[in-house]
Amino acid sequence: MFDFQKLAVYQKARQMYKSVMQFLKDAKSIPPKLRDNLARASLSVMLNIAEGAGRFTKPDKRRFYTDSRASAFEVVSCLEACNDLDILPQKDLNSFSYSYEEISKMLFKMIN
């Protein structure tokens, strides 16, 4: 097992990626560019955590964790766009947002 796989933030990001992909599978009416951005940003959260964990210096790790946190913000923004288009109900947006806020806070602690 790699070190990043033991991180609670990575496990949470992985779980959320699966949730986002399930949402995308079920929601057929999402515009293609929004669909692509949402999928890529959600994957980017977990990939940057993994890559950051593999770096040796603190500044290098920090950069990837910062990128991961920025991707989490992007995911929430994409989900808000889905809500604005009446594709994602408000209660589901709230649930996704809460989870990504948790990830963001975990990453913030790792950055500092």
Side-chain angles (χ1 to χ4, degrees):
M1 178 178 268
F2 290 95
D3 288 343
F4 71 86
Q5 292 172 307
K6 299 172 190 171
L7 296 172
V9 68
Y10 175 80
Q11 293 170 10
K12 181 80 172 170
R14 184 175 175 205
Q15 172 190 348
M16 291 310 301
Y17 174 69
K18 288 171 62 176
S19 296
V20 166
M21 294 309 292
Q22 185 61 53
F23 163 67
L24 290 173
K25 181 180 174 187
D26 295 341
K28 305 292 184 198
S29 62
I30 299 174
K33 288 183 181 180
L34 180 55
R35 175 182 295 278
D36 183 55
N37 263 19
L38 181 52
R40 287 185 305 112
S42 182
L43 181 59
S44 180
V45 174
M46 61 183 276
L47 293 180
N48 278 300
I49 293 167
E51 191 162 358
R55 298 300 171 142
F56 291 107
T57 67
K58 286 183 182 181
D60 228 6
K61 288 178 181 291
R62 186 177 296 125
R63 182 173 66 96
F64 283 97
Y65 297 151
T66 300
D67 288 348
S68 181
R69 189 168 182 260
S71 291
F73 286 24
E74 184 179 354
V75 170
V76 172
S77 182
C78 288
L79 292 168
E80 285 182 331
C82 290
N83 177 257
D84 292 343
L85 296 172
D86 295 323
I87 298 167
L88 180 66
Q90 185 65 44
K91 72 175 186 71
D92 293 339
L93 173 61
N94 293 346
S95 177
F96 276 118
S97 294
Y98 178 79
S99 294
Y100 276 101
E101 184 177 6
E102 284 183 323
I103 290 169
S104 173
K105 288 176 181 178
M106 294 167 87
L107 286 165
F108 186 77
K109 287 179 183 176
M110 294 170 74
I111 291 164
N112 292 321

